[in-house]
């Protein structure tokens, strides 16, 4: 062996060690980047439930859901379709938030479990056909979800969902609406009347 062969071997070993070290750092940073993106995606999905929860609370407050058997069945379907998957998503996200303040991190994990308790109590209120209790528990669900998203917002960008806007009759009917023909819709009717 000559000194030139030793030098190239040393370079190969140092280059291999350097690339392994840089690759390891890059992989850790990439993992953290993708992990952060995954948490933000999960939070975006979770924030979509805000609209459903707000709608439920609003319907119970305005007495659109009166608590009879049919209305309690509607609340039960909302519970099964939206609220239980929402709680599962909160429980899945909470440990991955990795909030800088350990008290906030523990609170986020606790809130995901508290939500499960609220859903249990809502299920009992549905079973007992008590709209006032259903409203109280739906408001607890709303407050718990809001607090969870506020905590997550300390580290991540949490989108604020917007309730969908209903279309005006002119937008909905388009060419077939009264407005397209220079008329207006009669109040409380689908009939067209001339504009005076």
């Amino acid at each position: 062996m000559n000194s030139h062969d030793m030098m190239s071997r040393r370079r190969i070993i140092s280059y291999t060690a350097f690339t392994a070290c840089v690759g390891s750092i890059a992989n850790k940073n990439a993992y953290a980047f993708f992990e952060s993106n995954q948490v933000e995606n999960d939070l975006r999905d979770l924030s979509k439930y805000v609209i459903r929860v707000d709608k439920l609370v609003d319907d119970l407050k305005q007495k659109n859901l009166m608590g009879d058997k049919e209305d309690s069945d509607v609340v039960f379907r909302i519970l099964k379709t939206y609220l239980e998957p929402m709680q599962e998503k909160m429980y899945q996200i909470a440990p991955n938030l990795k909030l800088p303040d350990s008290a906030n991190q523990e609170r986020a994990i606790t809130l995901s479990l508290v939500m499960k308790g609220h859903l249990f109590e809502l299920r009992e209120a549905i079973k007992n056909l008590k709209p006032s209790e259903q409203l109280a528990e739906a408001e607890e669900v709303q407050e718990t979800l809001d607090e969870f998203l506020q905590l997550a917002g300390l580290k991540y960008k949490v989108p604020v969902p917007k309730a969908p806007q209903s279309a005006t009759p002119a937008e909905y009917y388009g060419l077939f609406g009264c407005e397209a023909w220079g008329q207006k819709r009669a109040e409380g009717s689908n009939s067209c009347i001339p504009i005076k």
Side-chain angles (χ1 to χ4, degrees):
M1 276 200 244
N2 61 29
S3 65
H4 182 66
D5 288 340
M6 286 296 265
M7 190 61 112
S8 65
R9 287 184 188 147
R10 284 185 188 147
R11 283 186 181 158
I12 290 172
I13 291 171
S14 64
Y15 177 74
T16 304
F18 175 75
T19 55
C21 181
V22 169
S24 171
I25 293 170
N27 285 341
K28 285 180 183 175
N29 289 339
Y31 177 73
F33 173 76
F34 288 117
E35 181 181 8
S36 174
N37 275 350
Q38 183 60 46
V39 171
E40 285 185 356
N41 289 340
D42 289 342
L43 287 170
R44 184 175 44 250
D45 292 342
L46 182 65
S47 70
K48 292 176 185 175
Y49 289 105
V50 169
I51 294 170
R52 297 292 181 180
V53 172
D54 290 349
K55 174 83 170 105
L56 174 62
V57 169
D58 192 45
D59 284 345
L60 286 165
K61 276 184 180 176
Q62 294 182 5
K63 305 217 183 289
N64 294 338
L65 298 171
M66 304 282 290
D68 61 3
K69 177 71 173 125
E70 270 185 37
D71 290 344
S72 291
D73 287 345
V74 170
V75 176
F76 181 75
R77 282 194 297 276
I78 291 169
L79 172 76
K80 294 304 261 181
T81 306
Y82 299 109
L83 304 183
E84 287 181 354
M86 174 192 69
Q87 187 277 328
E88 290 170 11
K89 186 155 273 305
M90 283 176 68
Y91 185 73
Q92 171 194 359
I93 294 171
N96 298 326
L97 288 176
K98 297 183 176 117
L99 297 172
D101 183 14
S102 63
N104 288 339
Q105 178 64 37
E106 288 176 22
R107 180 68 181 154
I109 292 169
T110 302
L111 286 171
S112 69
L113 298 172
V114 166
M115 181 66 80
K116 192 167 195 155
H118 291 317
L119 297 183
F120 178 78
E121 291 172 353
L122 178 59
R123 191 175 299 112
E124 288 301 309
I126 292 167
K127 193 185 300 181
N128 296 332
L129 303 176
K130 295 187 176 176
S132 60
E133 290 179 16
Q134 291 174 16
L135 174 60
E137 288 309 318
E139 287 174 335
E140 291 290 330
V141 166
Q142 186 180 45
E143 291 169 9
T144 304
L145 178 60
D146 288 345
E147 185 179 350
F148 184 88
L149 291 173
Q150 286 173 356
L151 284 175
L154 296 174
K155 182 175 178 181
Y156 301 97
K157 183 180 178 187
V158 179
V160 178
K162 297 178 185 171
Q165 300 294 319
S166 57
T168 65
E171 294 169 336
Y172 183 75
Y173 292 114
L175 178 62
F176 301 106
C178 298
E179 293 80 4
W181 298 97
Q183 297 181 340
K184 67 178 184 177
R185 185 165 309 282
E187 191 173 323
S189 170
N190 286 333
S191 300
C192 297
I193 57 173
I195 297 176
K196 296 179 184 177

